[in-house]
Amino acid sequence: MTRRWLAVAAVWLGGSAFGGPLRLAPPELSEALTVTGERSHLDVTLENTSERELLGLTLDLALPDGWAAEPVHVQLQALAPFTEQRVRFELTPTWAGQGNGQLEVACPGTEPLSAWFHLTSCPPLAQRMVWERATRPAVDALPEDGCLYVATGAYILFLPRMADGYGAGLIYQRRGADWVRMATLPSLGRVLYEDFDESGKHSRVAEHWVSGQRVWAPLQPTRMDPDGWYLCTLRDQWQDLRGRTWIAKAYFAPTADPRIIKCTHSLWCSGKVQLYRYEGPALCVGDG
């Protein structure tokens, strides 16, 4: 299967792509979702768009809590005219959750560059005994660690419990007697909207990554949809700096077709808002 490279979508929020003759391409993550303890990598490409040689470049990587990298600081002696240089950082999560990383690039005589990127990690599955129960449509939770799953008979979606609720998933396909991981769900959604900054005086673009917050509503695997299928219901609620309340929901359920898991999602805000972008649950086929 061809590996699917992931250019980070929100990378220029709070960052810059050009520093005079130096250009920073959007960083590329090898995995949209990384299981804790497993390695992934981040590739960064720098381009010299000028006729002069650039000397003394440095790259510094800052990661959210629960992530380790090798290296975190890179020095490039020179970047020849009209050439590119790719730098790879090895990443390993030790904690399951979501967070933003930042890359800083400096070069004498040019403006500093920066890029933000989003990282998601989830814990490994607690045990494999569930495969025997996944040969029929079901919505349930593993008693060992609270991991939710939605099974159709041919596919199974796992939603492991993370530090900030439920927000990532592992999708397996049945192939004979075996189950093969064939996709991931890196998040339940992402919202970009206009809000105040921390001072409360100026507008900015706010970003919120949706996760199932148990503190707002317990998961309801016994609730049924109009077609009679059990639902796995996840709900996130937050308040922005303008005092508006937001609610995002995602529902997962099996269907009569063993090849299909049904997903419905919604977003609601208590006040008038300028909404720039709303993404529901993301599916990355081939990831992992």
Side-chain angles (χ1 to χ4, degrees), residues 1 67 70 91 97 132 166 177 185 204 229 240 247 250 287-288:
M1 183 175 292
W67 284 81
E70 179 61 38
L91 309 180
E132 299 176 0
Y166 293 83
L185 197 75
R204 66 175 178 116
W229 294 100
D240 63 25
I247 296 176
D287 185 41

Side-chain angles (χ1 to χ4, degrees), residues 61 63 67-72 89-92:
L61 189 66
L63 299 179
W67 284 81
E70 179 61 38
V72 294
F89 298 89
E90 298 288 339
L91 309 180
T92 305

Side-chain angles (χ1 to χ4, degrees), residues 7-273:
V8 183
V11 71
W12 304 127
L13 288 178
S16 56
F18 289 92
L22 185 63
R23 179 180 182 270
L24 172 63
E28 296 176 329
L29 289 165
S30 63
E31 315 288 347
L33 170 66
T34 307
V35 176
T36 55
E38 296 183 3
R39 285 192 174 189
S40 61
H41 53 263
L42 178 77
D43 279 349
V44 177
T45 301
L46 294 171
E47 181 184 4
N48 183 355
T49 62
S50 72
E51 298 179 348
R52 67 182 179 90
E53 186 177 41
L54 299 179
L55 303 174
L57 293 84
T58 60
L59 296 85
D60 289 285
L61 189 66
L63 299 179
D65 291 340
W67 284 81
E70 179 61 38
V72 294
H73 176 78
V74 174
Q75 291 182 307
L76 301 178
Q77 291 185 349
L79 186 59
F82 303 113
T83 61
E84 294 182 351
Q85 175 70 51
R86 174 164 285 203
V87 179
R88 172 165 292 184
F89 298 89
E90 298 288 339
L91 309 180
T92 305
T94 58
W95 170 83
Q98 302 185 68
N100 288 324
Q102 184 178 16
L103 177 72
E104 297 281 354
V105 180
C107 177
T110 68
E111 296 180 8
L113 301 177
S114 63
W116 294 88
F117 51 91
H118 191 74
L119 294 170
T120 305
S121 59
C122 74
L125 300 181
Q127 45 97 19
R128 295 291 183 127
M129 293 177 60
V130 71
W131 302 129
E132 299 176 0
R133 292 177 277 168
T135 56
R136 57 180 176 79
V139 175
D140 207 343
L142 299 180
E144 292 82 2
D145 59 1
C147 176
L148 301 169
Y149 69 89
V150 180
T152 69
Y155 290 90
I156 182 167
L157 164 65
F158 289 99
L159 297 166
R161 179 182 292 171
M162 300 160 64
D164 50 358
Y166 293 83
L170 303 171
I171 301 173
Y172 287 77
Q173 181 184 23
R174 186 179 184 185
R175 297 181 183 174
D178 298 324
W179 289 85
V180 180
R181 189 165 121 199
M182 51 79 62
T184 66
L185 197 75
S187 74
L188 292 180
R190 173 173 167 260
V191 189
L192 296 177
Y193 57 93
E194 182 276 332
D195 196 6
F196 281 137
D197 62 9
E198 296 298 333
S199 70
K201 299 178 180 179
H202 306 287
S203 296
R204 66 175 178 116
V205 178
E207 178 184 47
H208 181 85
W209 290 84
V210 178
S211 63
Q213 300 282 350
R214 294 182 62 203
V215 64
W216 295 111
L219 299 161
Q220 305 169 42
T222 57
R223 183 178 174 184
M224 301 183 75
D225 71 359
D227 297 328
W229 294 100
Y230 291 107
L231 283 174
C232 177
T233 305
L234 300 108
R235 182 174 186 260
D236 190 4
Q237 180 173 323
W238 72 97
Q239 190 172 54
D240 63 25
L241 295 176
R242 289 186 178 272
R244 298 168 299 201
T245 298
W246 294 77
I247 296 176
K249 291 183 179 180
Y251 310 89
F252 298 93
T255 67
D257 189 331
R259 301 168 299 173
I260 296 176
I261 294 176
K262 179 168 59 177
C263 174
T264 305
H265 51 93
S266 63
L267 177 69
W268 176 86
C269 182
S270 64
K272 184 178 179 180
V273 64

